[in-house]
Amino acid sequence: MAVKEFGARLAVLLQKTEAVLEPGKCSQNKQRSKHRPCLEDVLRWRDSFDNLLSSKDGLAAFWAFLKTEFSDENLEFWLACEKYKKTRTAAKLPSQALKIYQEFIQNEAPREVNIDHHTKELTQRQLAHATHLCFDVAQGKTWVLMEKDSYPRFLRSALYQDLLDHATQHGGAKPSHT
């Protein structure tokens, strides 16, 4: 998802809307991206980190939260790796890998992610023969960092609570606080 699309989705998430989504029809509602996410989706996000990132609205909300914590580079690196893995032309892999490495991995990178020195060295060595898998270790460590650290804070954040409250008010059901 491009930064512009994130921004547009974030604006929709944060705008106050009176649109009512039918309970139980959340995933089938084609207009849902024009509204705040429905209760079903917001509740699903707290079930797992994977559920959060597999939802476009969840991804946008998490990205907005990370921006407030000045740690959105972790998610942006993870997304860049996902896009990189989808590269179809092998000849493009080395230049794209170098770009990701320079942006997120190398020391003093503009958007440097917090990974250990060993992982940085391993990733750098793998650039010599760039494959679709050369960022897997670094991407995995970033995933774990977000899942164990940022994700629980997101679920306790005012942003998530606001989305949950709005969805509850307009979704017809009350969340169970378990």
Side-chain angles (χ1 to χ4, degrees):
M1 188 180 302
V3 173
K4 284 183 181 180
E5 188 177 341
F6 265 131
R9 190 167 293 276
L10 176 60
V12 168
L13 284 171
L14 297 179
Q15 81 184 54
K16 299 293 181 193
T17 179
E18 295 305 313
V20 177
L21 297 174
E22 294 178 51
K25 301 273 184 182
C26 185
S27 299
Q28 293 83 23
N29 189 334
K30 294 181 181 183
Q31 301 263 321
R32 89 182 161 106
S33 65
K34 294 181 181 178
H35 309 290
R36 285 187 176 209
C38 69
L39 182 59
E40 181 182 321
D41 284 348
V42 176
L43 291 174
R44 191 176 307 116
W45 300 345
R46 68 181 181 190
D47 290 342
S48 75
F49 187 53
D50 190 51
N51 286 351
L52 175 69
L53 293 190
S54 60
S55 159
K56 286 186 180 184
D57 289 335
L59 187 63
F62 187 59
W63 182 73
F65 169 74
L66 292 175
K67 295 269 302 170
T68 68
E69 294 203 328
F70 305 101
S71 62
D72 57 310
E73 70 280 352
N74 295 321
L75 182 58
E76 290 180 13
F77 169 68
W78 186 83
L79 291 169
C81 292
E82 289 299 296
K83 182 178 178 183
Y84 174 80
K85 290 176 187 178
K86 294 176 184 170
T87 302
R88 293 182 181 193
T89 309
K92 291 183 180 181
L93 290 176
S95 64
Q96 289 180 351
L98 182 61
K99 183 178 177 182
I100 292 170
Y101 178 81
Q102 291 173 336
E103 181 75 15
F104 298 104
I105 305 281
Q106 76 180 12
N107 290 330
E108 306 297 323
R111 314 267 308 133
E112 187 174 2
V113 293
N114 185 15
I115 55 173
D116 61 273
H117 181 71
H118 173 71
T119 303
K120 284 184 178 195
E121 284 183 348
L122 173 66
T123 305
Q124 183 180 21
R125 284 193 309 270
Q126 291 177 337
L127 291 181
H129 303 288
T131 69
H132 289 96
L133 307 175
C134 67
F135 292 106
D136 278 4
V137 174
Q139 185 184 20
K141 292 196 178 206
T142 303
W143 172 278
V144 169
L145 178 66
M146 290 188 298
E147 182 179 39
K148 301 296 182 204
D149 186 46
S150 303
Y151 174 61
R153 284 197 319 274
F154 167 74
L155 294 176
R156 294 187 302 267
S157 72
L159 187 146
Y160 178 77
Q161 291 306 313
D162 287 348
L163 289 169
L164 182 59
D165 291 347
H166 187 273
T168 300
Q169 291 170 4
H170 291 76
K174 301 218 186 272
S176 61
H177 295 287
T178 56

